[in-house]
Amino acid sequence: MATQANALTLADCKRTTHPSHGGEIRHMDLGEGRVMWMDWWSQEGTAKGFSLVECASGETLRFRSAEENMGRRSAFDRTDDAIEVLDRHQAGSRIFATFERIANDLEFIARDIAITTETVETCACAAAYPALRGEKTEFMLAG
């Protein structure tokens, strides 16, 4: 059982997921059991994206907000526009800020928009809402 001295924090979730060229940063508690972070990639090409998670259900919204030199697709960077959409939804009532509505508002801004349900707890959920793990596999910080 975690104690205050060794409890996982959102800062602990910043990590490199692919040695030297991919990772997760800017983990945030959005309140009411929802968390978010930015994904990044930088090897030969670059990309930025976001992941939002409802910690209790594991429902996850992922999308890419920028990419350059990532294959045959044209370069784009609409990160600021995507953040505006997220901020607008965050400022309103959570009952209206569903992942489906957020995804619809991102349709002509972001790429690779996907809503899935995860069965493994994320680091950000483990840090901010460990009581909402439910039946999901518990997140374990490696290393």
Side-chain angles (χ1 to χ4, degrees):
M1 181 157 198
T3 65
Q4 287 295 67
N6 64 3
L8 188 64
T9 69
L10 288 171
D12 296 326
C13 295
K14 177 181 176 180
R15 61 195 177 155
T16 300
T17 55
H18 297 82
S20 80
H21 56 266
E24 300 174 354
I25 57 173
R26 300 183 187 163
H27 293 77
M28 293 184 276
D29 177 357
L30 300 177
E32 299 180 47
R34 186 178 283 180
V35 296
M36 178 178 87
W37 63 88
M38 179 182 275
D39 303 292
W40 62 273
W41 180 266
S42 180
Q43 182 183 24
E44 296 177 13
T46 61
K48 288 184 222 171
F50 292 87
S51 296
L52 285 78
V53 179
E54 290 288 349
C55 293
S57 68
E59 185 177 33
T60 302
L61 168 64
R62 287 190 174 91
F63 62 90
R64 185 169 283 181
S65 65
E67 68 180 41
E68 183 175 350
N69 199 28
M70 294 290 290
R72 303 186 97 158
R73 299 195 304 189
S74 60
F76 82 109
D77 187 346
R78 296 188 198 104
T79 302
D80 291 342
D81 296 331
I83 289 172
E84 285 180 25
V85 168
L86 296 174
D87 286 347
R88 186 173 70 247
H89 281 276
Q90 184 62 20
S93 172
R94 184 57 55 86
I95 197 164
F96 298 112
T98 66
F99 286 171
E100 291 79 13
R101 287 182 178 188
I102 296 170
N104 286 338
D105 284 353
L106 290 167
E107 184 176 355
F108 298 107
I109 294 171
R111 290 182 181 161
D112 304 334
I113 302 167
I115 299 172
T116 60
T117 300
E118 304 301 322
T119 58
V120 177
E121 180 182 42
T122 67
C123 182
C125 287
Y129 298 101
L132 298 182
R133 178 179 310 119
E135 299 297 316
K136 291 180 288 305
T137 302
E138 181 177 0
F139 173 83
M140 299 300 242
L141 191 60

